């Protein structure tokens, strides 16, 4: 057996949607990357179906949002039904504050194929399938990984950093690093069934809270329909996948279930678990390797994609020598608590919606039916305001000590439509690009910055943008920019930047590559705050 050795800045183990998204982002940042997976092909299982606005913003950063949308159904409502089949809540968020719809459905095998195709854009990113990680050893400078190739031969890869996105039964987390996977495994299993030629006219996701057998029913792209049924104690999972049992489960919901063309059926166990550490030396855990969530609020894959966006730019900035290596630990600081919060919310939803005690279910239904016409409650549910949004209080952020301004820090920035002086309307992220961006409202807070700060911002790879009202006069533009030649001008086409800055009482924000606010403040304090941020971040 040969022992070839290869060196690469980043090695990713696991080519599921999280790992492939990280590889695409690293490719866009110009980082040489090796992505491996022991499976030779995409798994054709019924898996994730929902993508939120944050996920689409991640794909937008990777240049793949429009490609992914071609196989999606956007803006899909979710309904919740009582035991008596009354709809007690319908979730259809109208907000697009991050530039995309909040509820979108897709078929994961199709989405994975699109993400893998995206890697072909980058000659510096290699995907090797049928390759298995056998072991790894890390030191203060990098990681040595022993791989078994598809032909059985062994090879060694020397990487500066390794990302483990190899699933809930991760070889890296479980078998090598021995990182605790804390949480619980739920007692009830679920049968997931997908069929072609959708027999129902129900263009929404429905959660049926029926004690007789709780189930989920939803429409997917290209005429696919999915059902998810709870199994009861004593029901054998393998036996429930036989054609007779599948037809029995479907017989209460469609006519002639024997005529349905079932293309996928699988039994799943729901888990609520979080790895104790997301960063171990030079190894980072992402996606299901780091956390696994019950499917009730559709956040399992979305949580993994948040990992991808948060981690990819940090690896790129560290590898490029732009950011201090010790700040890799901020990936754990910024993602761990929010991943746990999403799991807790999913557990709460599951306990409420899958209730089998008929009396408790009746009381639950009466409560939800009684509050659904209260405007504030209805808006809270309809706009998905119950979903905890990420907010980083420590990590790659700078707090100024002013409570109201610091409340903006560590939150995702809005994405309105803007225009440059000569150009078509575009989403903000497409204009400011994939690096740091200093966005100010009708002022140039760095008109008099020192050469030292200018150099630090250059090392950070930060561009400056001054936003003005749409169709401003040349005189007003010059007044706002200070006639600085290096400032990029953007026009507030949707009038949303104006509303955002005015409501929050700040003049500028520093936006990270993952679109979170790293710092915010008034024009007069910008040089001091940005100097301090660069001091703590720039290598």
């Amino acid at each position: 057996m040969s022992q070839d050795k290869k060196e690469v800045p980043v090695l990713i183990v696991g080519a599921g949607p999280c790992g492939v998204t990280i590889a695409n982002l690293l490719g866009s940042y110009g980082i040489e990357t090796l992505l491996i997976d022991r499976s030779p092909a995409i798994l054709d299982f019924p898996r994730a179906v929902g993508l939120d606005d944050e996920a689409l913003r991640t794909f937008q950063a990777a240049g793949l949002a429009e490609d992914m949308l071609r196989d999606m159904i956007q803006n899909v409502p979710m309904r919740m039904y009582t035991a008596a089949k009354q709809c007690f809540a319908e979730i259809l968020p109208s907000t697009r504050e991050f530039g995309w719809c909040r509820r979108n459905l897709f078929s994961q095998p199709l989405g994975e194929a699109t993400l893998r195709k995206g890697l072909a854009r980058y000659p510096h990113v290699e995907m090797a399938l049928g390759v298995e990680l056998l072991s790894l050893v890390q030191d203060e400078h990098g990681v040595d990984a022993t791989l078994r190739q598809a032909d059985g031969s062994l090879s060694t890869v020397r990487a500066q950093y390794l990302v483990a996105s190899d699933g809930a039964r991760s070889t890296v987390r479980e078998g090598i690093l021995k990182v605790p996977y804390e949480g619980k495994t739920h007692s009830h299993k679920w049968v997931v069934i997908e069929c072609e030629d959708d027999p129902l006219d129900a263009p929404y996701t429905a959660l049926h809270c029926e004690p007789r057998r709780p189930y989920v029913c939803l429409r997917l792209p290209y005429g696919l329909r999915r059902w998810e049924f709870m199994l009861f104690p004593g029901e054998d999972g393998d036996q429930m996948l036989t054609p007779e049992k599948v037809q029995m489960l479907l017989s209460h919901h469609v006519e002639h279930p024997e005529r349905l063309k079932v293309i996928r059926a699988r039994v799943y166990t729901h888990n609520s678990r979080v790895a104790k550490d997301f960063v171990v030396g030079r190894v980072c855990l992402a996606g299901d390797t780091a956390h696994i969530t019950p499917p009730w609020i559709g956040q399992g894959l979305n949580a993994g994609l948040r990992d991808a966006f948060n981690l990819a730019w940090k690896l790129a900035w560290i590898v490029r020598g732009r950011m201090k290596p010790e700040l890799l630990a901020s990936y754990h600081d910024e993602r761990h608590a929010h991943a746990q919060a999403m799991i807790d919310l999913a557990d709460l939803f599951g306990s409420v919606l899958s209730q089998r005690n008929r009396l408790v279910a009746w009381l639950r239904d009466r409560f939800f039916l009684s509050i659904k016409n209260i405007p504030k409650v209805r808006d809270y549910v309809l706009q998905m305001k119950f979903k905890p949004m990420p907010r980083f209080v420590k990590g790659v952020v700078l707090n100024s000590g002013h409570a109201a301004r610091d409340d903006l820090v560590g939150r995702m920035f809005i994405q309105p439509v803007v225009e440059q002086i000569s150009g078509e309307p575009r989403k903000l992220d497409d204009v400011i690009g994939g690096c740091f961006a200093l966005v100010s409202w009708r002022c140039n807070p760095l008109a008099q910055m020192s050469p030292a700060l200018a150099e630090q911002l250059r090392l950070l790879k930060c561009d400056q943008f001054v936003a003005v009202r749409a169709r401003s006069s040349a005189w007003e533009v010059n007044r706002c920019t200070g006639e600085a030649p290096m400032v990029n001008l953007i026009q507030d086409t949707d009038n949303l930047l104006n509303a955002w800055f005015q409501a929050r009482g700040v003049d500028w924000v520093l936006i990270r590559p993952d679109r979170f606010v790293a710092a915010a403040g008034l024009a007069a304090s910008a040089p001091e705050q940005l100097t301090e941020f660069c001091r703590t971040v720039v290598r």
Side-chain angles (χ1 to χ4, degrees):
M1 291 184 292
S2 64
Q3 278 281 353
D4 301 322
K5 188 163 186 177
K6 177 175 183 175
E7 293 190 7
V8 66
V10 180
L11 169 63
I12 303 173
V13 181
C18 178
V20 178
T21 299
I22 294 173
N24 272 287
L25 289 167
L26 289 172
S28 71
Y29 300 138
I31 303 300
E32 185 182 357
T33 303
L34 173 61
L35 169 68
I36 67 168
D37 197 291
R38 62 187 174 191
S39 176
I42 294 170
L43 298 178
D44 192 27
F45 296 157
R47 292 180 287 163
V49 292
L51 291 169
D52 63 15
D53 49 351
E54 296 173 70
L56 282 170
R57 201 170 188 183
T58 300
F59 296 140
Q60 179 187 358
L64 291 171
E66 297 300 330
D67 292 335
M68 293 291 288
L69 282 173
R70 291 192 185 100
D71 292 319
M72 279 190 212
I73 307 171
Q74 297 185 68
N75 205 29
V76 178
M78 180 168 71
R79 298 179 181 178
M80 304 179 190
Y81 289 88
T82 68
K85 301 185 185 298
Q86 290 178 275
C87 180
F88 67 79
E90 181 175 39
I91 298 172
L92 183 58
S94 60
T95 179
R96 295 196 186 190
E97 64 177 322
F98 299 139
W100 305 95
C101 296
R102 278 200 168 178
R103 295 203 76 253
N104 312 280
L105 294 185
F106 82 128
S107 175
Q108 185 170 328
L110 286 177
E112 286 194 48
T114 299
L115 292 173
R116 291 186 177 192
K117 184 179 178 181
L119 296 178
R121 299 171 295 170
Y122 305 114
H124 51 282
V125 177
E126 178 187 354
M127 180 172 64
L129 301 178
V131 177
E132 182 179 6
L133 174 76
L134 297 181
S135 64
L136 68 85
V137 178
Q138 59 176 318
D139 55 42
E140 61 179 325
H141 300 295
V143 181
D144 287 310
T146 301
L147 311 179
R148 180 161 53 209
Q149 305 296 323
D151 61 4
S153 63
L154 301 183
S155 64
T156 301
V157 171
R158 175 69 173 178
Q160 294 180 41
Y161 296 94
L162 185 146
V163 177
S165 56
D166 53 336
R169 295 183 177 90
S170 166
T171 297
V172 177
R173 187 204 68 244
E174 205 171 83
I176 299 175
L177 298 179
K178 310 294 185 185
V179 175
Y181 206 33
E182 300 170 336
K184 62 183 177 181
T185 297
H186 297 269
S187 56
H188 290 287
K189 294 183 178 181
W190 289 72
V191 168
V192 180
I193 301 166
E194 287 185 6
C195 73
E196 291 182 330
D197 301 325
D198 186 357
L200 303 180
D201 183 18
Y204 47 81
T205 298
L207 307 183
H208 292 271
C209 311
E210 300 181 12
R212 183 171 63 91
R213 190 184 293 273
Y215 73 99
V216 179
C217 184
L218 52 99
R219 177 196 177 215
L220 293 176
Y222 305 118
L224 300 183
R225 168 71 55 176
R226 172 183 284 193
W227 286 269
E228 301 178 9
F229 297 101
M230 178 189 280
L231 297 186
F232 300 147
E235 291 182 325
D236 179 79
D238 292 335
Q239 189 180 55
M240 296 300 289
L241 294 179
T242 62
E244 296 77 19
K245 291 294 186 180
V246 168
Q247 290 176 23
M248 180 273 292
L249 290 170
L250 296 174
S251 63
H252 300 287
H253 311 289
V254 296
E255 295 183 8
H256 307 294
E258 71 281 358
R259 298 179 185 175
L260 292 179
K261 184 179 179 182
V262 176
I263 59 172
R264 302 182 184 98
R266 192 170 174 87
V267 174
Y268 285 97
T269 300
H270 293 176
N271 289 275
S272 301
R273 296 187 179 275
V274 182
K276 184 178 180 180
D277 300 297
F278 286 10
V279 180
V280 181
R282 288 175 170 261
V283 178
C284 301
L285 312 183
D288 287 354
T289 305
H291 44 75
I292 188 165
T293 309
W296 289 105
I297 55 173
Q299 286 296 305
L301 175 55
N302 291 295
L305 294 172
R306 292 188 192 97
D307 295 344
F309 210 178
N310 188 292
L311 179 58
W313 78 264
K314 290 176 180 176
L315 287 171
W317 259 245
I318 291 170
V319 167
R320 289 290 193 199
R322 298 172 185 152
M323 191 164 76
K324 295 178 179 179
E326 56 266 31
L327 288 174
L328 184 62
S330 69
Y331 167 60
H332 172 93
D333 297 336
E334 295 180 355
R335 287 294 306 131
H336 190 276
H338 186 260
Q340 183 66 65
M342 297 305 293
I343 289 172
D344 292 344
L345 179 61
D347 284 347
L348 176 62
F349 259 65
S351 63
V352 170
L353 300 176
S354 61
Q355 179 58 242
R356 291 197 60 219
N357 183 293
R358 293 183 181 274
L359 175 59
V360 175
W362 183 86
L363 292 171
R364 172 204 62 202
D365 295 348
R366 301 285 75 72
F367 171 76
F368 282 118
L369 288 170
S370 69
I371 65 172
K372 75 171 189 175
N373 292 320
I374 301 174
K376 287 187 177 180
V377 174
R378 186 175 61 246
D379 182 66
Y380 182 79
V381 173
L382 188 66
Q383 301 300 327
M384 286 181 69
K385 293 181 179 179
F386 54 82
K387 172 185 165 186
M389 296 301 297
R391 195 265 165 127
F392 313 140
V393 295
K394 63 177 182 176
V396 189
V397 292
L398 177 71
N399 292 301
S400 66
H402 187 285
R405 295 170 199 155
D406 289 345
D407 188 58
L408 309 176
V409 174
R411 300 186 188 275
M412 183 170 274
F413 194 64
I414 61 173
Q415 184 179 197
V417 172
V418 298
E419 293 179 34
Q420 293 177 288
I421 291 300
S422 56
E424 296 295 321
R426 300 164 66 197
K427 287 183 169 66
L428 177 67
D429 294 358
D430 295 331
V431 171
I432 64 176
C435 301
F436 276 85
L438 180 71
V439 178
S440 57
W441 176 247
R442 303 186 71 234
C443 68
N444 181 1
L446 297 182
Q448 305 299 323
M449 70 172 159
S450 67
L453 177 56
E455 175 62 14
Q456 288 292 291
L457 293 175
R458 185 191 69 80
L459 291 173
L460 184 65
K461 202 167 176 59
C462 177
D463 294 323
Q464 185 182 355
F465 298 84
V466 173
V468 299
R469 296 190 178 104
R471 314 300 176 251
S472 292
S473 67
W475 175 85
E476 184 178 6
V477 168
N478 288 336
R479 184 178 66 83
C480 294
T481 62
E483 301 183 8
M486 299 303 293
V487 168
N488 300 286
L489 188 71
I490 53 178
Q491 300 187 68
D492 185 19
T493 307
D494 284 350
N495 203 34
L496 294 179
L497 288 175
N498 175 36
W500 192 93
F501 279 99
Q502 295 302 318
R504 288 157 180 82
V506 295
D507 296 324
W508 58 270
V509 291
L510 178 64
I511 303 173
R512 307 187 327 184
D514 60 356
R515 316 312 181 188
F516 280 81
V517 175
L522 301 179
S525 64
E528 180 182 357
Q529 283 184 253
L530 292 170
T531 297
E532 176 62 16
F533 180 81
C534 290
R535 185 189 67 79
T536 60
V537 173
V538 178
R539 189 169 184 175

